[in-house]
């Protein structure tokens, strides 16, 4: 099995308990990665929504278009959009930039979308590799269990042979 660091782990040399711990680690990692993927997809949807809103701004006339400004997800206040060409775009972690054209804002959103999509693709690859790792650990665990059963049956056979002699 190969972990994400590129190092190989010898599953055959591990005990059943070690394999079980490794499987739990990989399953926990898979869950965390899957959650991160969901967060990235939600971010992508928000960016797509922002682009759609920008296309609506193209139709807004300067000098007083009525809009509803969200204060929270369920609380809005009415406002007037004075200049639809001046837009504040979040760059990330609370940093904003004012752009004077809708095209510039769209370009920023497109760059962010490309970055989110690239990260999503990378995470999909890591999820697939982690699933393969889990499957490999499962197969190694099954092999160990077969070995243990065979040893137990061999010992039982030896004990019955010794008792019958």
């Amino acid at each position: 099995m190969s972990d994400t660091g590129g190092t190989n782990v010898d599953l055959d040399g591990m005990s059943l308990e070690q394999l079980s711990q490794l499987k739990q680690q990989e399953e926990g990692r898979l869950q965390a990665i899957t959650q991160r993927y969901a967060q990235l997809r939600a971010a992508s949807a928000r960016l797509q929504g922002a682009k759609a809103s920008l296309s609506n701004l193209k139709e807004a006339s300067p000098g007083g278009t009525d809009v509803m400004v969200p204060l929270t997800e369920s609380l809005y206040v009415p406002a007037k959009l004075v200049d639809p060409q001046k837009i504040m775009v979040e760059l990330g972690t609370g940093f904003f930039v004012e752009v004077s054209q809708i095209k510039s804002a769209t370009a920023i959103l497109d760059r962010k979308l490309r970055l989110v999509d690239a990260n999503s693709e990378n995470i999909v690859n890591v999820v697939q590799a982690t699933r393969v790792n889990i499957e490999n650990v499962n197969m190694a665990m099954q092999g160990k269990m077969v070995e243990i059963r065979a040893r137990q049956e061999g010992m039982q056979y030896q004990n019955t042979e010794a008792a019958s002699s």
Side-chain angles (χ1 to χ4, degrees), residues 6-80:
T7 60
N8 289 329
V9 177
D10 180 22
L11 297 178
D12 294 330
M14 298 177 89
S15 69
L16 191 58
E17 184 177 312
Q18 290 171 323
L19 288 170
S20 179
Q21 289 174 348
L22 181 61
K23 180 182 174 188
Q24 286 176 344
Q25 285 176 336
E26 289 294 305
E27 286 173 342
R29 191 166 145 245
L30 179 62
Q31 184 177 13
I33 293 168
T34 303
Q35 288 173 350
R36 179 67 180 138
Y37 179 76
Q39 291 170 346
L40 285 172
R41 295 318 320 146
S44 179
R46 285 192 305 274
L47 290 170
Q48 290 290 356
K51 280 183 65 175
S53 295
L54 279 177
S55 67
N56 291 339
L57 277 180
K58 289 178 183 177
E59 300 164 7
S61 60
T65 302
D66 291 328
V67 293
M68 296 296 282
V69 177
L71 297 178
T72 67
E73 287 186 27
S74 60
L75 183 63
Y76 296 83
V77 294
K80 283 204 182 284

Side-chain angles (χ1 to χ4, degrees), residues 42-147:
S44 179
R46 285 192 305 274
L47 290 170
Q48 290 290 356
K51 280 183 65 175
S53 295
L54 279 177
S55 67
N56 291 339
L57 277 180
K58 289 178 183 177
E59 300 164 7
S61 60
T65 302
D66 291 328
V67 293
M68 296 296 282
V69 177
L71 297 178
T72 67
E73 287 186 27
S74 60
L75 183 63
Y76 296 83
V77 294
K80 283 204 182 284
L81 188 61
V82 179
D83 186 358
Q85 291 299 313
K86 285 190 178 181
I87 302 161
M88 296 290 287
V89 180
E90 182 181 12
L91 297 176
T93 61
F95 289 97
F96 294 85
V97 65
E98 183 177 309
V99 293
S100 59
Q101 292 182 359
I102 292 175
K103 276 194 282 187
S104 300
T106 302
I108 291 170
L109 292 175
D110 284 338
R111 280 195 304 269
K112 288 176 79 170
L113 267 169
R114 281 193 302 273
L115 180 64
V116 166
D117 289 342
N119 285 336
S120 293
E121 287 178 28
N122 290 339
I123 285 180
V124 166
N125 293 336
V126 172
V127 164
Q128 290 171 345
T130 303
R131 285 185 176 148
V132 167
N133 288 347
I134 290 171
E135 184 59 35
N136 288 340
V137 171
N138 279 334
M139 289 184 345
M141 287 176 73
Q142 288 173 356
K144 290 285 182 188
M145 292 175 76
V146 166
E147 272 182 42

